[in-house]
Amino acid sequence: MFDAIINNLSYLLKGFLINLELAICALAGGIFLGILVGLGRISKNVWLYHSVTLYVNFIRNIPLILVIFWFYFIMPILVGKPLNPFISAAISFVVFEATYFGEIFRAGFQSISRDLVSAAYSTGLTYTQTARHILVPIAIRRMLPSMITQSIITFQDTSLAYVIGLQELVRRTTIVDSMEVRSIQLYSFVAALFFVICFVGSRISRYYEMKSREANIL
Amino acid sequence: MGLAYKFDWSVLWREPYGEWMLQGIWLTLQLGFLAWIIAFFLGIFVGTMRASPWKLLRLVSTIYVEIFRNVPFLVQLFFWFYAGPMIFGKTLQFKINAISGLNYYAAVVGLGLYTASRVAEHVRAGFASIGQGQYQAALSTGMSQRQMYWHIMIPHALRLILPPLTTEFLTIFKNSSVAMTIGVAETTFMSYKIDSDTFHGLEATTGAMFVYLVLGMAVVKTMSYIEKKFRIHGLVGR
């Protein structure tokens, strides 16, 4: 019944590993660039603010597939030789996800009221103490659920690297399916793999959301 | 190392590529609107089930939402297109596979079912924010359960959740680009096709980006008009 999966299990799982690797690269780069984007979005420097806002609004209106293609086409022109699809995909993911993480960070930074800071100062806390004990913990607690959700979306999005021929899980599944013709079991298997990880992730996100709601800070 | 690449922007309008792009845009619009009809009504239905007092309805709708939200859309699309016809058994399978434009229908239905799960979550959140008093008031005027949902709760919830629905409506056009993977010749597909014909994919995809950008701005403009029209007076405006 599961013959097509069992016969090709290691081949398929190696593809899934590529999805995970791509997601890790995308998250590491996306969160780092996202922090900078978030800071740019609350910056008082007009030029910085407007250029970062333009970048965010532009990218967020464009489908990820198109961004993947665009980098796939422009990289060989810039570098002078065809680029490995993994690196090309990773670059497009970082550029794309950074805009989404940037908006999460902006909301997190902006959600902290000035009154809270004044209250912390008035109890005699220094700036570092305020940041360390008040601002950072609250900002992180508020951002954590949406960051986890966005990470899940990023992980799901890695399947789209299929379009530039990256040998990730979905690409490998289509290859196996073209030989075995067992579409139902193969695609159910792929769906189940993604489902397990994303479902667990969404529960963790829900848990932190509840926890911060209990602490009455949302 | 200089830029050895020679730009040729005419691939965006030159014969026959300009026509390809227009056909692609037309198909993107079709996919988005048709899938939205499915997503909107199914999403309201599933979302109302999510908020219902009956446990079985809640369970069924929760399973629907969790499955469709936690599996990548690309995988869902491949499932409907490749595995979908097989579900009906050998004899029907060949008949279904012979339908011309099967990929188009698979894309519309797949995109509709996927987006419905997201709409349902917004509808549920809308119900949650209405508050108990409203239910009780509606029921106390002698309305039946069905009347209460149809005349009071759903219109109220929909007006509350218009802004997130705008975002979903925007997202549906962006997600329709995934349909290129099953050969639906929408905007992204066409820009890729122009590349395989001319090797000027950079210009073609850049042009496609602006197509989505303009489409997105048009949606935002239209929806902000609708939002203004259906605003609930007395609530904090946006």
Side-chain angles (χ1 to χ4, degrees), chain B residues 34-44 111-113 115-116 119-120 172:
Chain B
L34 293 178
W36 181 252
I37 293 171
I38 298 177
F40 184 70
F41 288 104
L42 187 62
I44 292 175
L111 187 57
L113 294 179
T115 311
V119 172
I172 210 166

Side-chain angles (χ1 to χ4, degrees), chain A residues 60 70 78 156 159 203, chain B residues 1 66 69 74 174 206:
Chain A
R60 282 171 69 105
W70 196 80
L78 294 178
Q156 293 190 2
S159 62
R203 291 293 116 164
Chain B
M1 177 203 77
E66 292 294 349
R69 277 173 68 103
L74 178 70
K174 287 193 285 171
T206 308

Side-chain angles (χ1 to χ4, degrees), chain A residues 43-124:
Chain A
S43 164
K44 295 221 163 54
N45 182 326
V46 183
W47 289 103
L48 188 63
Y49 170 80
H50 283 298
S51 44
V52 173
T53 304
L54 189 69
Y55 157 59
V56 169
N57 288 343
F58 188 78
I59 296 287
R60 282 171 69 105
N61 269 304
I62 291 168
L64 175 56
I65 279 202
L66 209 48
V67 179
I68 295 173
F69 274 134
W70 196 80
F71 276 97
Y72 186 64
F73 290 135
I74 200 171
M75 289 318 279
I77 298 168
L78 294 178
V79 182
K81 61 173 197 290
L83 209 59
N84 170 344
F86 184 90
I87 297 173
S88 177
I91 294 171
S92 31
F93 274 99
V94 169
V95 170
F96 185 81
E97 303 295 346
T99 61
Y100 286 83
F101 279 109
E103 287 301 276
I104 294 174
F105 287 122
R106 180 187 60 85
F109 296 149
Q110 282 180 338
S111 74
I112 295 163
S113 74
R114 276 174 215 288
D115 294 348
L116 198 67
V117 181
S118 316
Y121 282 146
S122 72
T123 63

Side-chain angles (χ1 to χ4, degrees), chain A:
Chain A
M1 181 163 179
F2 298 115
D3 51 322
I5 299 170
I6 294 163
N7 292 341
N8 301 288
L9 193 61
S10 72
Y11 177 70
L12 290 174
L13 288 181
K14 267 181 209 147
F16 199 48
L17 209 62
I18 294 177
N19 286 90
L20 285 169
E21 286 169 8
L22 186 56
I24 290 169
C25 293
L27 288 176
I31 290 174
F32 177 72
L33 190 59
I35 292 175
L36 300 182
V37 169
L39 288 173
R41 291 273 285 150
I42 55 170
S43 164
K44 295 221 163 54
N45 182 326
V46 183
W47 289 103
L48 188 63
Y49 170 80
H50 283 298
S51 44
V52 173
T53 304
L54 189 69
Y55 157 59
V56 169
N57 288 343
F58 188 78
I59 296 287
R60 282 171 69 105
N61 269 304
I62 291 168
L64 175 56
I65 279 202
L66 209 48
V67 179
I68 295 173
F69 274 134
W70 196 80
F71 276 97
Y72 186 64
F73 290 135
I74 200 171
M75 289 318 279
I77 298 168
L78 294 178
V79 182
K81 61 173 197 290
L83 209 59
N84 170 344
F86 184 90
I87 297 173
S88 177
I91 294 171
S92 31
F93 274 99
V94 169
V95 170
F96 185 81
E97 303 295 346
T99 61
Y100 286 83
F101 279 109
E103 287 301 276
I104 294 174
F105 287 122
R106 180 187 60 85
F109 296 149
Q110 282 180 338
S111 74
I112 295 163
S113 74
R114 276 174 215 288
D115 294 348
L116 198 67
V117 181
S118 316
Y121 282 146
S122 72
T123 63
L125 291 183
T126 65
Y127 174 75
T128 359
Q129 284 171 326
T130 309
R132 158 91 180 71
H133 296 290
I134 312 283
L135 296 183
V136 174
I138 291 177
I140 287 181
R141 263 212 230 178
R142 279 186 185 162
M143 290 186 282
L144 203 56
S146 18
M147 278 183 68
I148 297 171
T149 307
Q150 190 57 43
S151 307
I152 296 168
I153 295 172
T154 307
F155 179 57
Q156 293 190 2
D157 284 345
T158 58
S159 62
L160 290 178
Y162 161 93
V163 296
I164 53 170
L166 183 69
Q167 295 278 318
E168 47 72 67
L169 179 61
V170 181
R171 172 63 69 178
R172 287 177 185 226
T173 308
T174 56
I175 294 169
V176 171
D177 190 36
S178 65
M179 295 182 296
E180 305 260 3
V181 199
R182 292 280 183 280
S183 308
I184 296 180
Q185 52 167 295
L186 283 168
Y187 287 109
S188 306
F189 175 67
V190 175
L193 277 183
F194 274 103
F195 179 82
V196 169
I197 292 192
C198 298
F199 183 74
V200 171
S202 70
R203 291 293 116 164
I204 296 172
S205 161
R206 183 82 57 84
Y207 168 77
Y208 281 112
E209 211 180 315
M210 290 297 177
K211 219 170 104 175
S212 56
R213 204 167 280 163
E214 275 164 23
N216 200 17
I217 57 159
L218 265 178

